[in-house]
Amino acid sequence: MEKIQIIDSKKHVGEKVKIGAWVANKRSSGKIAFISLRDGSAFFQGVVVKSQVEEDVFNQAKNLTQESSVWITGTISEDARSKFGYEIHIEDIEVISEAVDYPITPKDHGTEFLMDNRHLWLRSTKQHAIMQVRNEIIRATYEFYNNEGYVKIDPPILTGSAAENTTDLFKTQYFDREAYLSQSGQLYMEAGAMAMGRVFSFGPTFRAEKSKTRRHLIEFWMIEPEMAFMDQDDSLEVQEKYVAYLVQSVLDNCDHALDILERDKELLKKFTELPYPRVSYDEAVEMLQKNDFDVTWGEDFGSPEETFIAEQFDKPVFILNYPKAIKPFYMKRHPERDDVVLCADMIAPEGYGEIIGGSQREDDYETLRQEIIDFGLDVKEYEWYLDLRRYGSVPHSGFGLGLERTVTWISGTDHIREAIPFPRLLNRIYP
């Protein structure tokens, strides 16, 4: 008798197998018991028929408690009524460990309660499906960049240089000097691009912003490609190709998870169609003003503005060339205008907001040095970054994609905290 995982049931129809699992739920009548089982690979139903098993096995099935761990022995059969398509007709049950008073019952619970019990909530069908989507996005990310000839490089998490604004950084003491938790690996990835041509990083980033919304996290993971000899238009093509690749990979490999999440697959398919629409910041402001938004040129957009702009399209949309005054020092100025920079945000449909921010980087030494000064930063801390312009500077561009917000969008989830495996320390302090 073979020991299998639930996900492999389709390979063992008609066979007697043994499965280690947890009891997700159960219901029973006088003659039959239905047990919802999970083993980490999938969920499916176990059926215990009173007339076909020993009396103690049926009594044991009726008395199983939620989240008890068990060894199940039985025969796999097809089940056309379930989305999974298979079930097991149980012949024997061995209780490994009995769970008593499991706190997350089938009744409704509030988000705060569930996040406080995230280590257990992760076991539910919906959370299991979201993690499958997250895992597929991570897998597809490596596949995409490996196929495109990128090299993965890991930037430091503790850094002495800020990519954007030091007021948004978590400060710490690194022996006898100040250091910060990284808000972005971008500056280091630029150094990598000058060595390897095309690179990407995938790691944790931190923003010291108390933003208690369904869109924001204090600690999150970001994918940051950086490309030498690429201008902004080249970068936009990479971005839309990458996002379409992620969506298609989820469609191809997470069909059952999308069913559990009740995600509209036909809608997702639209997001794989390229190119994505593009509007300038100027056009976006005009669009908003015509629709009674109180927006002045030079301001950044908030969630309501981004949602409205996204609603005008049926795909992710790029907003191009924001005002220089509201963007970081490293972005290259527009060649025909001094008031805007060569950058773009990709806004996801359905109100999920910005999933990518990117730009062409300033490649001129003198211009960049002056920007560092004007931004109020210490030039000494950025001498290494200026070296990239001293020694063989080239046009180059890059961007960052937020993993959790992308998972939230593709999975159709309401709250970004459902896209993280655990309520990490910083997100617990200020959820």
Side-chain angles (χ1 to χ4, degrees):
M1 181 173 55
E2 188 171 354
K3 189 185 296 182
I4 72 166
Q5 287 188 299
I6 292 173
I7 197 66
D8 295 323
S9 295
K10 61 184 177 182
K11 304 174 185 176
H12 299 275
V13 175
E15 297 179 16
K16 185 175 180 178
V17 298
K18 187 174 184 178
I19 298 175
W22 292 271
V23 177
N25 203 355
K26 78 171 194 306
R27 58 186 174 88
S28 62
S29 63
K31 297 181 179 180
I32 190 167
F34 299 96
I35 308 170
S36 176
L37 298 165
R38 65 173 189 85
D39 70 345
S41 70
F43 289 71
F44 79 161
Q45 178 175 266
V47 181
V48 188
V49 180
K50 185 176 183 179
S51 61
Q52 297 176 0
V53 298
E54 297 291 334
E55 184 176 355
D56 63 330
V57 173
F58 189 75
N59 289 334
Q60 193 173 41
K62 289 198 303 180
N63 293 315
L64 286 173
T65 56
Q66 185 182 358
E67 288 306 317
S68 290
S69 54
V70 294
W71 287 110
I72 295 293
T73 301
T75 302
I76 300 293
S77 65
E78 294 189 28
D79 179 15
R81 298 164 298 176
S82 77
K83 291 181 179 179
F84 183 68
Y86 303 91
E87 64 183 13
I88 184 169
H89 289 265
I90 296 173
E91 300 172 21
D92 190 34
I93 301 171
E94 177 188 344
V95 176
I96 301 170
S97 177
E98 182 181 13
V100 180
D101 297 330
Y102 185 68
I104 303 178
T105 61
K107 71 176 184 179
D108 289 335
H109 297 279
T111 302
E112 291 302 319
F113 173 84
L114 292 171
M115 286 306 300
D116 285 342
N117 290 277
R118 181 62 167 161
H119 57 293
L120 300 176
W121 189 29
L122 200 58
R123 303 179 182 191
S124 73
T125 53
K126 180 182 177 184
Q127 302 308 310
H128 186 270
I130 293 171
M131 289 303 107
Q132 286 183 312
V133 171
R134 179 188 172 101
N135 183 67
E136 178 57 27
I137 289 172
I138 292 170
R139 187 206 65 78
T141 289
Y142 281 91
E143 184 175 77
F144 176 84
Y145 288 111
N146 286 334
N147 289 345
E148 295 291 321
Y150 287 65
V151 175
K152 184 177 183 293
I153 291 182
D154 299 314
I157 295 174
L158 279 177
T159 174
S161 305
E164 297 183 14
N165 192 332
T166 54
T167 60
D168 295 335
L169 293 178
F170 285 103
K171 185 185 295 186
T172 186
Q173 199 68 25
Y174 186 74
F175 300 104
D176 59 348
R177 61 169 293 179
E178 288 183 347
Y180 306 94
L181 290 177
S182 175
Q183 64 184 179
S184 168
Q186 178 209 311
L187 305 190
Y188 298 96
M189 298 312 293
E190 289 187 53
M194 296 306 110
M196 310 299 295
R198 298 181 184 183
V199 296
F200 77 103
S201 66
F202 191 169
T205 53
F206 308 85
R207 301 289 168 89
E209 301 173 271
K210 290 185 176 182
S211 184
K212 193 175 183 180
T213 77
R214 70 182 186 91
R215 285 185 175 188
H216 294 87
L217 292 170
I218 294 171
E219 177 188 354
F220 57 98
W221 284 67
M222 195 148 64
I223 296 97
E224 296 184 274
E226 205 70 31
M227 299 89 64
F229 304 103
M230 280 197 185
D231 61 20
Q232 176 68 352
D233 289 338
D234 297 327
S235 178
L236 295 182
E237 290 184 12
V238 174
Q239 292 173 47
E240 62 186 3
K241 185 178 178 182
Y242 169 46
V243 170
Y245 191 89
L246 295 181
V247 176
Q248 188 62 59
S249 292
V250 171
L251 284 167
D252 290 343
N253 300 304
C254 298
D255 187 69
H256 184 54
L258 294 174
D259 284 341
I260 291 171
L261 295 167
E262 299 181 338
R263 190 63 164 122
D264 187 338
K265 297 174 190 174
E266 292 304 314
L267 182 61
L268 287 178
K269 288 177 183 177
K270 289 184 180 180
F271 305 153
T272 67
E273 299 169 359
L274 300 180
Y276 292 160
R278 293 151 165 75
V279 297
S280 70
Y281 173 87
D282 297 344
E283 292 169 331
V285 169
E286 183 178 355
M287 184 189 307
L288 292 164
Q289 290 174 342
K290 286 182 177 179
N291 287 275
D292 300 323
F293 281 85
D294 184 17
V295 174
T296 302
W297 196 99
E299 298 176 345
D300 206 353
F301 299 142
S303 297
E305 292 80 13
E306 289 181 347
T307 297
F308 177 82
I309 294 167
E311 287 173 347
Q312 311 313 303
F313 306 92
D314 59 358
K315 301 175 185 177
V317 55
F318 287 110
I319 303 177
L320 310 176
N321 304 336
Y322 283 74
K324 176 180 180 297
I326 60 173
K327 288 298 181 180
F329 70 92
Y330 53 74
M331 294 187 178
K332 189 172 183 63
R333 292 186 188 181
H334 194 285
E336 298 173 1
R337 295 175 57 178
D338 289 334
D339 58 342
V340 298
V341 288
L342 296 174
C343 68
D345 289 346
M346 183 190 291
I347 311 301
E350 306 173 276
Y352 285 96
E354 177 194 340
I355 55 172
I356 288 181
S359 72
Q360 186 167 337
R361 317 312 192 186
E362 179 54 66
D363 53 271
D364 179 74
Y365 172 83
E366 292 295 343
T367 302
L368 180 61
R369 188 177 187 280
Q370 189 59 50
E371 291 294 340
I372 291 171
I373 294 170
D374 293 345
F375 208 73
L377 299 173
D378 186 351
V379 175
K380 293 180 182 178
E381 296 291 341
Y382 293 85
E383 286 295 343
W384 70 270
Y385 187 60
L386 288 167
D387 278 348
L388 307 180
R389 279 71 179 172
R390 286 190 183 98
Y391 308 117
S393 185
V394 300
H396 61 287
S397 302
F399 60 92
L401 176 140
L403 174 63
E404 285 78 10
R405 197 176 287 180
T406 303
V407 172
T408 306
W409 163 52
I410 294 179
S411 65
T413 308
D414 291 332
H415 203 297
I416 194 170
R417 284 192 288 167
E418 294 190 58
I420 60 175
F422 303 103
R424 301 176 190 124
L425 174 63
L426 295 178
N427 291 319
R428 286 185 69 97
I429 291 173
Y430 198 93

